[in-house]
Amino acid sequence: MLGRIKWLAGQPLTLRARRLAAEFHRQAGRARTVQRELLLRRVARNADSAFGRDHGFAAIRSPEDFRRQVPIGDYARHEPYIDRVRNGETSALFGPGTDVLMFAMTSGTTNRPKTIPVTREALSDYREGWLIWGVTAFDAHPEILKYGLRPILQIASDWRESFTPAGIPCGAITGLTASMQSFLVRTTYCMPPSGSRIKDVEAKYYLALRSSVHLDLGTVIAANPSTILNMVRLGDRERETLIRDLHDGGIDLKWAIPDDVRRELRFRTAIPRRRAARRLERLVAEHGRLLPKHYWPRLEFLSNWMGGTMRAYLRGYPEFFGDKPVRDVGLIASEGRMTIPIEDGTPAGVLDVRHHYFEFIPEEDAEKDDPRVVEAADLIEGRNYFVLLTTAGGLYRYNIFDLVRCVGFHGEAPVVEFLNKGAHFSSLTGEKLSEHQVVDAVEAAQKAAGVRLRSYLMLPIWGDPPRYGLLAETSDLPDEAAADRLAAAVEGRLRELNLEYAAKRDTLRLGPVHTIRIRDGAWAEFQKRRLARGGGTVEQYKQPHLIPDLDALGSFPTLTTIPTGRW
């Protein structure tokens, strides 16, 4: 009966989602016009803001005017205005009547996290993007909707991690959207909203499984595939505890769950589910493990990022899920959603021309002082570009440093796939490590460890889990003790500088920094190779300190054993 009620209650939402999706596809067919109209509406709405006055919004009548009046910028250029909004002065970025509901928090290039304003319009854009993505994905897998929407497991984070001086919450927008769901919609999602307040990640993963392992799940949604893998690995490792809790109706006290959250969870977890527990016991007896391909046999598809380094994690899926399709959730950041994938098995998605205005810098122009910029409809298939965002959250010509490739078109809207965070960023599992942070960490660590490096390079290293390696020549690190001191100091400083890096380390999605000694003369050879490949002169050469390339380590003669297994 409840399933029928939920199905009936969900019909208006499904119809609205289908209307939005149909409108999105129509807009993709005339993306150039849609994008320009969106830009001019957004500029006009905020013309009386401090940012609008400082950049002559009142005189903007075209994208060309916009480019002349507003320089390309990153978070540092927006931060003075955002800081005023944090202190309650919404007119610094927005026109009259604009409400700022929260700030989405993410890692910055310094030890202060970025805070991105979330207005009502920005929240609406975010939710519409998910509705379009969801109905498109579910219609492609109709079994998930056959008798009403099957349960969904999606892990949200807290939207009230902290508060600004003006009392505005800062945290994860996923937590805000979860808290705003109607009761009947919320019952479709396995993870209780109060679970977003759990800080201990393994406890949060356990609660996610405790709330879903007995259900006929339709899909699991997480931006990062490492989240899904770590969750189901935990379920297998803690199978005895999970089965016992399911049988008895409770949550073992060993999990670091705040008391207030435990109290809120009682009505969900207090009911013994002995039949489900016996079923899981039979699965363990038969297979020797507790795997989702056995307890969720009708799972329709998995939902997570597939682009960039994320595809390496997907190789671990068959062990746990068998041959299940994967639907990319789209290129999403705290700053906004950039793509809406409409097919399984590809990281590419249609540019979200409905909700943000986009410009693109061709990859070859990225280092120029005045780079060439093109609109979305003018991308060329097969070429790489850096994305510039103009959003309802007060970002204008914002360089998010995401490098994408145009792989085709859907009408006039480009279909793009994420490649990496660009030359000065690396992100193995969502940590968004910047070269600036690496330089800061290594410079501070040298003093702390009592060593001096003539040159160094940080590289991502694949493993289980992956981690970063700091390369230095042997004469700079003559013994393992010095190398270990340096690695520990770099690790500590990176944790201070990058909250996402610290979170990924705490959740074991990243391993600790490992110092790698290379033979003397390696830097000179590296310089020659780069100059031969890219041109230029020795005088113009700038030694990089971070390269986001998993294959780069293979070009260095290392003198250190590099562990790749889990520890």
Side-chain angles (χ1 to χ4, degrees):
M1 176 62 74
L2 178 60
R4 179 64 177 171
I5 293 172
K6 286 164 60 177
W7 181 84
L8 289 171
Q11 287 308 291
L13 183 63
T14 302
L15 291 173
R16 177 170 176 256
R18 289 203 172 100
R19 285 196 297 270
L20 283 171
E23 178 63 16
F24 172 72
H25 290 299
R26 286 193 294 270
Q27 289 176 317
R30 54 186 191 94
R32 187 186 303 279
T33 300
V34 168
Q35 281 278 277
R36 293 186 174 192
E37 290 175 349
L38 174 63
L39 170 66
L40 296 180
R41 285 198 309 273
R42 198 147 283 168
V43 165
R45 184 178 303 124
N46 296 318
D48 289 334
S49 67
F51 189 99
R53 291 193 300 272
D54 290 348
H55 294 87
F57 276 18
I60 293 175
R61 299 290 183 270
S62 67
E64 292 74 23
D65 292 342
F66 184 57
R67 287 195 283 273
R68 281 193 296 270
Q69 296 292 114
V70 183
I72 295 168
D74 56 11
Y75 184 77
R77 183 170 70 81
H78 288 77
E79 208 279 337
Y81 298 93
I82 292 175
D83 188 54
R84 290 162 65 179
V85 178
R86 281 196 298 263
N87 284 280
E89 187 187 342
T90 57
S91 61
L93 274 174
F94 306 106
T98 302
D99 293 327
V100 177
L101 304 177
M102 65 168 293
F103 288 88
M105 213 160 50
T106 186
S107 177
T109 55
T110 67
N111 60 348
R112 183 174 183 174
K114 293 189 292 186
T115 52
I116 308 299
V118 179
T119 63
R120 289 194 184 278
E121 184 183 3
L123 179 64
S124 176
D125 289 349
Y126 179 84
R127 298 178 79 178
E128 282 192 5
W130 271 113
L131 280 174
I132 294 167
W133 177 89
V135 77
T136 304
F138 297 160
D139 282 347
H141 298 275
E143 288 296 317
I144 203 171
L145 294 166
K146 190 171 182 180
Y147 301 107
L149 183 59
R150 300 229 309 272
I152 297 168
L153 178 57
Q154 184 172 18
I155 300 176
S157 297
D158 194 0
W159 66 286
R160 291 177 290 192
E161 292 271 358
S162 61
F163 292 85
T164 72
I168 305 171
C170 301
I173 192 172
T174 55
L176 176 61
T177 55
S179 71
M180 297 176 72
Q181 291 167 340
S182 69
F183 173 75
L184 285 172
V185 170
R186 193 177 299 168
T187 59
T188 299
Y189 289 84
C190 307
M191 187 70 170
S194 57
S196 67
R197 305 203 304 273
I198 299 173
K199 306 305 180 190
D200 183 89
V201 174
E202 288 208 335
K204 183 180 285 189
Y205 290 166
Y206 184 82
L207 176 61
L209 284 172
R210 174 68 179 81
S211 305
S212 63
V213 70
H214 59 288
L215 299 174
D216 183 21
L217 216 61
T219 186
V220 182
I221 302 175
N224 203 313
S226 66
T227 297
I228 296 175
L229 284 174
N230 284 335
M231 179 183 67
V232 297
R233 283 169 175 157
L234 175 73
D236 186 30
R237 189 174 77 239
E238 296 287 344
R239 52 185 177 265
E240 291 183 5
T241 305
L242 190 58
I243 293 171
R244 183 176 62 250
D245 282 349
L246 204 62
H247 182 275
D248 297 342
I251 301 178
D252 196 290
L253 292 175
K254 72 179 179 180
W255 302 110
I257 299 175
D259 290 342
D260 61 324
V261 176
R262 280 189 180 272
R263 285 193 294 271
E264 292 181 36
L265 292 173
R266 281 177 185 166
F267 81 98
R268 280 180 174 260
T269 59
I271 302 172
R273 300 187 181 276
R274 296 187 175 92
R275 182 180 297 178
R278 287 194 293 270
R279 172 176 169 265
L280 297 185
E281 284 180 331
R282 289 194 297 271
L283 291 175
V284 173
E286 181 179 353
H287 303 285
R289 300 180 67 185
L290 188 62
L291 302 178
K293 62 185 177 184
H294 301 137
Y295 54 78
W296 292 328
R298 294 206 313 141
L299 192 75
E300 292 295 323
F301 62 99
L302 292 150
S303 318
N304 53 253
W305 286 327
M306 299 180 68
T309 56
M310 298 297 123
R311 67 190 64 191
Y313 291 99
L314 303 182
R315 292 195 290 268
Y317 272 12
E319 175 187 353
F320 293 92
F321 294 98
D323 187 22
K324 294 293 182 184
V326 180
R327 171 74 62 117
D328 197 297
V329 294
L331 181 50
I332 311 173
S334 297
E335 291 83 353
R337 172 183 283 277
M338 286 161 269
T339 66
I340 299 179
I342 58 175
E343 296 178 354
D344 291 345
T346 173
V350 181
L351 195 71
D352 187 4
V353 295
R354 176 182 175 86
H355 297 118
H356 309 303
Y357 178 71
F358 295 93
E359 300 166 274
F360 296 85
I361 301 173
E363 182 181 22
E364 61 271 18
D365 287 6
E367 299 296 328
K368 295 180 180 178
D369 293 334
D370 185 22
R372 179 167 53 97
V373 173
V374 297
E375 289 188 283
D378 295 321
L379 266 56
I380 298 173
E381 186 173 346
R383 298 281 184 87
N384 297 347
Y385 301 88
F386 285 94
V387 184
L388 304 179
L389 282 169
T390 294
T391 76
L395 304 179
Y396 299 95
R397 309 200 75 203
Y398 180 92
N399 192 344
I400 196 169
F401 297 104
D402 281 354
L403 184 67
V404 300
R405 175 174 295 139
C406 177
V407 299
F409 283 84
H410 184 69
E412 285 187 345
V415 177
V416 302
E417 65 174 332
F418 174 76
L419 298 179
N420 58 63
K421 282 299 290 184
H424 304 290
F425 289 86
S426 178
S427 195
L428 281 165
T429 183
E431 68 280 4
K432 299 185 288 292
L433 190 66
S434 74
E435 187 171 44
H436 176 88
Q437 291 167 342
V438 169
V439 171
D440 185 313
V442 176
E443 294 304 312
Q446 289 180 75
K447 296 176 184 177
V451 301
R452 184 172 182 178
L453 306 181
R454 289 166 295 175
S455 195
Y456 58 87
L457 175 64
M458 188 80 84
L459 293 175
I461 302 172
W462 190 252
D464 184 18
R467 96 279 303 271
Y468 285 90
L470 180 66
L471 277 63
E473 288 190 348
T474 306
S475 56
D476 288 339
L477 291 174
D479 57 64
E480 292 293 339
D484 290 345
R485 288 197 308 274
L486 180 65
V490 171
E491 170 74 16
R493 183 59 178 156
L494 285 180
R495 281 177 167 271
E496 295 174 359
L497 292 170
N498 186 315
L499 60 88
E500 298 284 359
Y501 179 87
K504 302 307 185 287
R505 284 285 296 112
D506 290 341
T507 58
L508 305 182
R509 282 180 277 181
L510 280 178
V513 170
H514 185 71
T515 308
I516 301 170
R517 294 192 292 161
I518 57 178
R519 64 174 174 77
D520 290 344
W523 293 131
E525 295 172 4
F526 179 59
Q527 180 189 74
K528 289 178 184 178
R529 291 196 301 271
R530 286 177 63 85
L531 286 173
R533 184 171 64 250
T537 65
V538 173
E539 291 76 15
Q540 295 171 321
Y541 177 76
K542 181 182 177 183
Q543 167 75 13
H545 293 298
L546 174 67
I547 296 178
D549 183 355
L550 286 168
D551 297 323
L553 184 61
S555 63
F556 288 93
T558 63
L559 303 177
T560 306
T561 301
I562 304 164
T564 57
R566 180 170 289 277
W567 53 88

